[in-house]
């Protein structure tokens, strides 16, 4: 579906790959820009054994998608409470968000990285809190624009406010929340890789860091490809969920 | 046995909203009317111009918003589910995340007092062939039928319809008029329809209330002599013409009624 919609873009992407293969395999095999395609293929086995790819990959991917899934569920469960914007969770998150108006997120992130140990657990908590706050704010903003007809109709059928939020407003805004997750999961990928890169915790960021230390261009490029493909597959999965399970407009 | 001779009675009901400057804006003032019990089911129209507060009135009857003044009484009827008065809003609100069957089941799950069987109810509103379809991208008439069946699932004493027909094409409207009449007669259902369409009100209703605007007030009560009668459906009949003239004259005496739709 993605390919059908963006056909010209995909043709161009394929031509970049072909250009890379032709240029760096045959014309410029030794360079500091991009690695030779055949070396990239060979480096996958080194990534597996030397850079501990399976553990690092699983660590990053599970932190991203488990936190995304759990925060989505938690916002859903708490939706009647979160819908009111004066609740303590919202006030707390908004107070933190206030700082981000003046301080770039990466600087706040650096401070947090300094405070907390480099473990998979902390990484998960980071991802979870970010995803929860983001989904919560999106839910609150979208619930203000939920279709009045559905709400009116549900209230007239005898549903109380909690039921209206859970059964009507949540369903009404769910497509927009899923679409929000397309961007959010990409953001989480970036955030966690930077966290792992700086802190040296388990994850793909750790591979990037090691590969930079060893000046291993082929490993960097391989992880770059793995990350890109993973994000692409994640987007496909979310789009499938949108189409199959949250199909309404 | 019926203890009261009305389905619904409003005594001096009023509602105001606070304007930006803090002033009270009277939306409804001293609304008084009564809908008598009918052994054959009734269709009552409230005809009023845009912005007269008829939607507010229906919301108050339905219990969705609170009134500021007056009293509302629900009389005894064959239904025992008097506390729930479903309202079908202007844009029929079948939930797009549920299929036809699930939408109607949604209504069933909200009541213990089930009068219908799910499949029968789906068939009653003419959606038997579409029970697994989803309402997204379906016509207004289709979505209205779902909303109607979902409302009926609760076995209410009264169903409120807020100008839901105006977005339908003429053919769909005619089908829905017929459906409402059939259901009202066969299932002894009572409907209140708020509309801006004079012809619709005359054709469908046994009883019509005219409502003025700013503030909304019942200014006239007309009995048509029977809901959806062949005479009233014939736009050229003498009775239709005289009733139309009567309503137009009543409206002309109140200046706020220019936005009434006098055409089909």
């Amino acid at each position: 579906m993605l390919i059908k919609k963006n056909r010209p873009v995909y043709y161009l992407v394929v031509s970049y790959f072909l250009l890379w293969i032709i240029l760096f395999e045959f014309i410029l095999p030794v360079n500091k820009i991009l690695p030779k395609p055949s070396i990239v293929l060979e480096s996958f086995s080194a990534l597996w054994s030397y850079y501990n790819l399976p553990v690092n990959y699983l660590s990053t991917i599970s932190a991203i998608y488990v936190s995304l899934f759990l925060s989505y569920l938690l916002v859903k469960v708490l939706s009647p409470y979160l819908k009111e914007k004066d609740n303590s969770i919202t006030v707390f998150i908004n107070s933190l968000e206030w700082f981000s108006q003046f301080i770039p997120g990466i600087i706040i992130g650096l401070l947090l990285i300094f405070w907390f140990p480099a473990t998979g657990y902390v990484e998960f908590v980071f991802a979870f809190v970010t995803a929860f706050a983001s989904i919560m704010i999106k839910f609150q903003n979208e619930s203000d624009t939920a279709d009045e007809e559905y709400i009116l109709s549900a209230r007239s059928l005898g549903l109380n406010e909690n039921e209206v939020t859970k059964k009507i407003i949540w369903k009404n805004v769910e497509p927009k929340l899923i679409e929000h997750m397309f961007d959010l999961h990409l953001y989480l990928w970036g955030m966690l890789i930077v966290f792992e890169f700086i802190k040296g915790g388990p994850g793909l960021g750790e591979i990037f860091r090691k590969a930079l230390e060893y000046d291993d261009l082929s490993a960097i490029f391989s992880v770059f490809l793995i990350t890109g493909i993973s994000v692409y597959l994640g987007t496909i999965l979310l789009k499938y969920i949108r189409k199959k399970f949250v199909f309404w407009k | 046995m019926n203890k009261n001779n009305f389905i619904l009675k409003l005594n001096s009901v009023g509602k105001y909203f606070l304007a930006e400057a803090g002033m009270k804006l009277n939306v409804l003032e001293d609304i008084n009317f009564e809908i008598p019990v009918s052994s054959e089911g009734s269709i009552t129209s409230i005809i009023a111009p845009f912005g007269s507060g008829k939607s507010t009135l229906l919301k108050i009857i339905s219990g969705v918003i609170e009134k500021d003044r007056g009293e509302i009484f629900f009389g005894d009827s064959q239904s025992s589910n008097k506390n729930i008065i479903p309202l079908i809003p202007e844009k029929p609100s079948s939930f797009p995340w549920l299929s036809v069957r699930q939408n109607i089941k949604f209504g069933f799950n909200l009541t213990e007092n089930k009068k219908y069987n799910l499949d029968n109810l789906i068939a009653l509103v003419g959606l038997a062939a579409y029970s697994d379809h989803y309402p997204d991208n379906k016509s207004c008439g289709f979505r209205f039928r779902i909303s109607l069946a979902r409302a009926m699932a609760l076995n209410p004493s009264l169903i409120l319809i807020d100008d839901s027909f105006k977005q339908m094409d003429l053919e769909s409207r005619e089908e829905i008029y017929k459906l409402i009449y059939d259901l009202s007669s066969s299932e002894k259902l009572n409907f209140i329809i708020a509309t801006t369409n004079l012809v619709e009100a005359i054709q469908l209703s046994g009883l019509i209330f005219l409502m003025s605007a700013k503030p909304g007030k019942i200014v006239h009560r007309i009995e048509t002599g029977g809901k959806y009668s062949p005479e009233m459906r014939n736009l050229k009949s003498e009775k239709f013409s005289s009733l139309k003239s009567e309503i137009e004259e009543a409206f002309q005496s109140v200046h706020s009624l220019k936005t009434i739709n006098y055409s089909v």
Side-chain angles (χ1 to χ4, degrees):
Chain A
M1 196 182 83
L2 273 175
I3 293 174
K4 270 183 195 168
K5 272 189 179 173
N6 301 308
R7 203 178 283 274
V9 174
Y10 279 87
Y11 285 148
L12 210 57
V13 170
V14 170
S15 55
Y16 292 151
F17 273 95
L18 288 175
L19 198 67
W20 169 54
I21 292 166
I22 294 163
L23 204 62
F24 294 97
E25 185 69 40
F26 304 110
I27 303 170
L28 291 166
V30 182
N31 69 88
K32 273 287 223 178
I33 306 162
L34 287 176
K36 208 173 152 185
S38 55
I39 291 180
V40 170
L41 283 177
E42 284 166 22
S43 76
F44 274 103
S45 62
L47 277 175
W48 196 270
S49 54
Y50 193 74
Y51 290 95
N52 205 4
L53 179 68
V55 172
N56 283 318
Y57 182 72
L58 277 177
S59 172
T60 302
I61 206 164
S62 58
I64 290 167
Y65 291 101
V66 172
S67 64
L68 207 56
F69 177 70
L70 287 182
S71 48
Y72 186 79
L73 273 188
L74 192 65
V75 175
K76 183 177 181 175
V77 170
L78 296 177
S79 57
Y81 176 69
L82 295 174
K83 190 180 162 284
E84 304 307 323
K85 288 178 180 166
D86 54 357
N87 67 73
S88 50
I89 297 177
T90 308
V91 172
F92 175 68
I93 286 173
N94 287 343
S95 69
L96 294 182
E97 208 193 5
W98 182 83
F99 287 102
S100 67
Q101 294 177 71
F102 314 106
I103 307 166
I106 187 75
I107 296 176
I108 301 173
L110 284 173
L111 202 60
L112 295 173
I113 287 167
F114 177 78
W115 288 341
F116 293 102
T119 63
Y121 171 73
V122 169
E123 195 178 321
F124 170 76
V125 171
F126 263 176
F128 176 78
V129 170
T130 307
F132 179 82
S134 179
I135 295 171
M136 184 199 81
I137 291 167
K138 183 73 180 171
F139 168 70
Q140 287 177 334
N141 293 340
E142 291 299 335
S143 62
D144 288 344
T145 61
D147 286 323
E148 193 58 37
E149 283 79 19
Y150 300 140
I151 297 168
L152 185 60
S153 180
R155 281 188 184 142
S156 81
L157 294 173
L159 268 71
N160 63 35
E161 285 308 302
N162 277 2
E163 288 171 325
V164 167
T165 305
K166 275 186 173 176
K167 295 179 178 173
I168 310 299
I169 296 177
W170 178 265
K171 285 287 179 188
N172 198 200
V173 304
E174 209 174 7
K176 284 176 183 165
L177 293 181
I178 296 286
E179 281 165 13
H180 175 66
M181 281 163 67
F182 297 169
D183 296 331
L184 180 60
H185 94 118
L186 179 62
Y187 178 78
L188 288 181
W189 268 97
M191 194 189 79
L192 285 195
I193 286 177
V194 168
F195 174 84
E196 293 156 357
F197 183 85
I198 296 172
K199 195 72 182 178
L204 292 179
E206 165 72 355
I207 300 182
F208 273 120
R209 197 163 74 105
K210 267 191 181 174
L212 265 181
E213 272 174 23
Y214 303 143
D215 211 13
D216 187 350
L217 181 61
S218 59
I220 292 173
F221 195 75
S222 302
V223 180
F224 167 86
L225 286 180
I226 290 168
T227 306
I229 291 166
S230 301
V231 173
Y232 178 77
L233 292 177
T235 308
I236 296 268
L237 176 71
L238 288 169
K239 289 199 173 181
Y240 175 77
I241 291 171
R242 168 79 173 93
K243 193 181 172 193
K244 191 80 181 169
F245 302 106
V246 191
F247 48 82
W248 57 94
K249 284 172 188 155
Chain B
M1 290 297 289
N2 292 330
K3 289 177 194 165
N4 298 314
N5 56 356
F6 59 84
I7 299 161
L8 174 73
K9 187 176 179 180
L10 274 73
N11 266 355
S12 302
V13 169
K15 177 79 187 170
Y16 65 83
F17 291 126
L18 283 177
E20 275 181 23
M23 287 170 64
K24 283 182 180 176
L25 183 69
N26 253 357
V27 182
L28 299 174
E29 192 177 86
D30 204 23
I31 302 278
N32 292 292
F33 69 80
E34 186 178 315
I35 297 174
V37 167
S38 162
S39 58
E40 295 166 349
S42 66
I43 303 175
T44 304
S45 284
I46 298 170
I47 179 160
F50 290 111
S52 58
K54 55 187 185 308
S55 297
T56 306
L57 179 60
L58 292 194
K59 285 177 195 170
I60 289 173
I61 296 171
S62 175
V64 172
I65 60 171
E66 292 288 323
K67 61 190 181 322
D68 292 315
R69 288 182 298 274
E71 292 168 306
I72 299 176
F73 302 100
F74 295 99
D76 293 324
S77 70
Q78 289 174 343
S79 159
S80 56
N81 223 346
K82 285 186 283 291
N83 293 329
I84 293 175
I85 310 294
L87 167 62
I88 303 176
E90 197 175 312
K91 287 182 198 160
S93 57
S94 51
F95 304 136
W97 51 89
L98 300 177
S99 67
V100 169
R101 172 175 286 275
Q102 290 164 336
N103 256 290
I104 299 168
K105 206 175 168 195
F106 186 94
F108 272 112
N109 292 341
L110 297 173
T111 181
E112 299 289 313
N113 178 27
K114 294 179 175 66
K115 180 180 170 187
Y116 303 97
N117 155 296
L118 179 57
D119 288 318
N120 287 349
L121 190 49
I122 294 171
L124 266 177
V125 293
L127 295 175
Y130 305 95
S131 66
D132 294 323
H133 285 226
Y134 283 83
D136 245 10
N137 301 323
K138 292 285 195 293
S139 70
C140 244
F142 188 94
R143 287 183 282 136
F144 179 84
R145 285 168 194 263
I146 299 173
S147 300
L148 182 58
R150 193 178 57 204
M152 286 170 66
L154 281 100
N155 191 17
S157 57
L158 190 59
I159 295 175
L160 311 173
I161 300 171
D162 186 7
D163 220 354
S164 307
F165 314 127
K166 78 174 175 202
Q167 298 190 24
M168 298 177 198
D169 57 50
L170 191 58
E171 200 179 326
S172 303
R173 251 187 284 163
E174 292 291 345
E175 285 177 10
I176 296 294
Y177 293 166
K178 173 88 169 56
L179 176 70
I180 286 176
Y181 169 73
D182 288 345
L183 291 174
S184 172
S185 303
S186 65
E187 306 303 315
K188 316 286 182 259
L189 286 172
N190 301 299
F191 292 96
I192 297 182
I193 300 167
T195 181
T196 51
N197 189 317
L198 180 74
V199 175
E200 179 178 291
I202 297 173
Q203 285 191 321
L204 260 178
S205 323
L207 182 59
I208 299 175
F209 293 104
L210 311 189
M211 192 171 150
S212 67
K214 292 174 187 172
K217 205 168 181 178
I218 300 295
V219 290
H220 206 64
R221 179 187 190 277
I222 296 168
E223 283 186 34
T224 63
K227 60 185 178 188
Y228 203 59
S229 64
E231 254 189 314
M232 291 302 173
R233 276 183 283 148
N234 178 4
L235 303 184
K236 289 174 183 164
S237 76
E238 205 177 303
K239 204 169 173 190
F240 179 89
S241 303
S242 71
L243 203 56
K244 194 175 172 219
S245 305
E246 187 187 344
I247 294 172
E248 280 171 359
E249 276 168 31
F251 274 165
Q252 274 157 14
S253 65
V254 189
H255 5 236
S256 59
L257 302 175
K258 286 174 186 163
T259 54
I260 291 294
N261 181 0
Y262 293 102
S263 59
V264 180

